[in-house]
Amino acid sequence: MTGMDLSFSAGTEAATALDAADPLAAFRHEFHLPEGPDGSPQTYLAGNSLGAVPRSAAGCVNAELERWARLGVAGHFAGESAWEPYHELLTDSLARLVGGRPSEVVAMNSLTVNLHLLLVSFYDPTPTRHKVLIEAGAFPSDHFAVESQIRQRGHEPAGSLILACPRAGEETLRLDDLLTLIATHGSELALVLLPGVQYYTGQVLPMAEITAAAHGVGARVGFDLAHAVGNVPLALHDWNVDFAVWCSYKYLNGGPGGIGGAFVHERYAGDRSLPKLLGWWGHRAETRFEMGTVFDPAPTVESWQLSNPPILAMAPLRASLDVFDRAGGMAPLRAKSEQQIQYLDFLLAEVIGDRVETITPTTLAERGCQHSLRVREPGPDGRAVHQALQQSGVACDWRSPDVIRVAPVPLYNTFADIGRFVDILDRALGDAAR
Ligand SMILES: *Cc1c(COP(=O)(O)O)cnc(C)c1O
């Protein structure tokens, strides 16, 4: 297997040694991790679905509740966490995580809402250039959003929606095939919308190459970073991406339904020719409260904001971003993550063998921390194995039709968690068969 570190060995002592050598080990204690039914800690490998809660989150939320009680409406403008510019407290940290400039990044709304807002601006079809390239296996919300935008703009998905598929018998998308589709639809292609990390397979797509190819035929490019942000290093500005959206409840630990985020490249900041849905929070902040009805856009991505945002949803994300910053950002986290990915690969090969197949690409450049596992024939039913895992205190998820997703998150998962998971999987494969 590519990239495997042959110096790993199985067993709890080896895991303990890896944890002892981990410079980020202390960050685990900054999170509450769920307990199983018997009160023992779960092996929490579901951070790709809902990240763990930082211990400091409650304090951040309570601080705003207290300010509300103490200050009432004056809290909008008073003090260092005044609510009117509160979203700005998140910007710099988010910009570092996605590789954007602060003027290109804003925390607002939720992922699908942001996707719609940016499709309004960046899917601006003409009679000859009206096609959108997405993947056939796109997250349903993305597919629905694009389909409805195509119809909204007077076209039909049948003629305007291009679906990229893996080749027969393969699981993941090939860059060559994407480049061929982009070249084939060339002058008819208005937009390419792809994930940074594919939610089902865990594949990381080559965002810089895709962006360059799409721009080469005159199309725009957006990325859904739901599974990428906080998982893999990103450089949206340098890659020249037009726009991106993400949610914060997965690897960013922002809490259930937490505040989403958006990136728009700075070359569009002052572009008044883009169609855009407007609201008062997109107005230049200095003069917003003069209450004029001539829209004067904020000179940044903030001009896409509509409403004054939910402070109580932003507070836990603020707590989590502070943890990311103190951990040193994505470079050290990714270094640990690569080691954890290889350790899990090693243990799966060593302990589980060919009873389970990993559909995630094997090379490190093409994967984040998520491993998408499929129980091989003639083994037990995958869903039963997933249930057995849960009953034994492993939190991981099942995605139809047949994949178990496990994600060791470098901020709070240990090498011991990975070892325990593989031991429990080993047993679950037997238990589920009975
Ligand atoms: C999790 C996820 C979403 C979720 O969308 P919301 O609008 O936050 O509910 C969207 N797209 C992808 C690819 C996801 O993984």
Side-chain angles (χ1 to χ4, degrees):
M1 224 184 269
T2 321
M4 186 188 291
D5 185 338
L6 295 174
S7 66
F8 289 126
S9 50
T12 49
E13 266 174 45
T16 306
L18 286 164
D19 283 323
D22 170 14
L24 299 175
F27 285 99
R28 176 182 177 88
H29 307 298
E30 300 208 19
F31 291 87
H32 293 287
L33 292 168
E35 291 177 352
D38 63 353
S40 63
Q42 283 182 14
T43 303
Y44 195 78
L45 298 174
N48 57 325
S49 197
L50 183 69
V53 57
R55 289 181 187 270
S56 54
C60 277
V61 175
N62 278 331
E64 301 316 317
L65 288 171
E66 278 161 21
R67 280 167 40 73
W68 179 16
R70 194 159 36 84
L71 299 170
V73 69
H76 280 301
F77 303 104
E80 62 177 36
S81 71
W83 301 320
E84 198 247 357
Y86 191 93
H87 61 276
E88 294 171 12
L89 298 172
L90 308 175
T91 300
D92 287 356
S93 305
L94 285 174
R96 282 191 282 276
L97 289 175
V98 300
R101 306 216 161 132
S103 65
E104 297 173 321
V105 172
V106 63
M108 61 179 188
N109 310 310
S110 53
L111 188 156
T112 308
V113 171
N114 289 337
L115 180 56
H116 273 297
L117 292 177
L118 295 179
L119 285 172
V120 164
S121 296
F122 292 98
Y123 176 58
D124 192 14
T126 67
T128 53
R129 192 186 279 280
H130 54 89
K131 293 184 176 174
V132 185
L133 173 64
I134 65 171
E135 33 147 15
F139 195 83
S141 199
D142 299 41
H143 188 110
F144 301 149
V146 169
E147 238 184 35
S148 60
Q149 290 272 346
I150 288 172
R151 291 209 171 90
Q152 188 72 23
R153 302 302 296 264
H155 292 269
E156 278 303 319
S160 298
L161 188 61
I162 319 293
L163 301 176
C165 303
R167 292 189 188 179
E170 296 187 358
E171 306 291 342
T172 51
L173 293 165
R174 291 198 192 197
L175 176 61
D176 282 353
D177 293 349
L178 292 171
L179 297 183
T180 302
L181 279 172
I182 290 168
T184 305
H185 295 282
S187 63
E188 293 180 330
L189 195 60
L191 177 71
V192 175
L193 178 74
L194 289 168
V197 176
Q198 216 282 344
Y199 80 96
Y200 190 76
T201 63
Q203 178 185 20
V204 177
L205 288 173
M207 289 170 260
E209 287 89 339
I210 290 166
T211 303
H215 286 169
V217 301
R220 286 178 171 147
V221 189
F223 286 102
D224 178 333
L225 303 178
H227 283 266
V229 65
N231 178 14
V232 294
L234 298 165
L236 299 181
H237 177 87
D238 289 347
W239 295 339
N240 226 3
V241 169
D242 295 304
F243 74 91
V245 294
W246 58 89
C247 51
S248 71
Y249 46 83
K250 293 170 180 166
Y251 297 107
L252 293 190
N253 316 312
I259 189 103
F263 165 94
V264 173
H265 199 281
E266 69 180 3
R267 65 179 162 275
Y268 299 107
D271 185 346
R272 290 184 184 232
S273 70
L274 287 182
K276 190 185 281 186
L277 296 180
L278 305 182
W280 74 320
W281 230 251
H283 191 281
R284 196 177 277 280
E286 298 85 339
T287 49
R288 179 184 295 140
F289 281 89
E290 292 172 12
M291 307 310 260
T293 54
V294 177
F295 187 75
D296 182 10
T300 67
V301 65
E302 293 188 4
S303 65
W304 271 270
Q305 293 180 118
L306 297 179
S307 297
N308 80 103
I311 303 301
L312 297 180
M314 288 193 291
L317 180 57
R318 194 180 167 204
S320 175
L321 291 175
D322 177 59
V323 179
F324 273 92
D325 284 337
R326 283 186 289 104
M330 283 315 297
L333 286 167
R334 175 64 181 180
K336 174 174 173 183
S337 186
E338 289 189 352
Q339 209 188 0
Q340 291 192 318
I341 291 165
Q342 291 174 303
Y343 182 58
L344 178 48
D345 278 350
F346 168 81
L347 290 182
L348 286 171
E350 191 86 352
V351 180
I352 306 297
D354 60 10
R355 288 178 291 163
V356 160
E357 129 188 62
T358 302
I359 68 166
T360 308
T362 49
T363 54
L364 281 174
E366 288 182 277
R367 62 201 300 201
C369 68
Q370 175 184 314
H371 293 236
S372 300
L373 307 177
R374 183 182 283 156
V375 179
R376 274 196 214 262
E377 301 287 336
D381 176 53
R383 210 182 273 271
V385 174
H386 175 247
Q387 264 163 18
L389 286 168
Q390 283 191 304
Q391 277 156 15
S392 305
V394 175
C396 58
D397 70 16
W398 173 259
R399 277 289 170 274
S400 280
D402 61 359
V403 154
I404 296 169
R405 302 186 306 177
V406 293
V409 171
L411 261 183
Y412 49 77
N413 282 124
T414 57
F415 290 86
D417 287 335
I418 295 171
R420 202 173 307 116
F421 161 69
V422 174
D423 287 344
I424 294 172
L425 175 64
D426 183 23
R427 270 181 279 135
L429 284 162
D431 289 350
R434 269 181 236 129

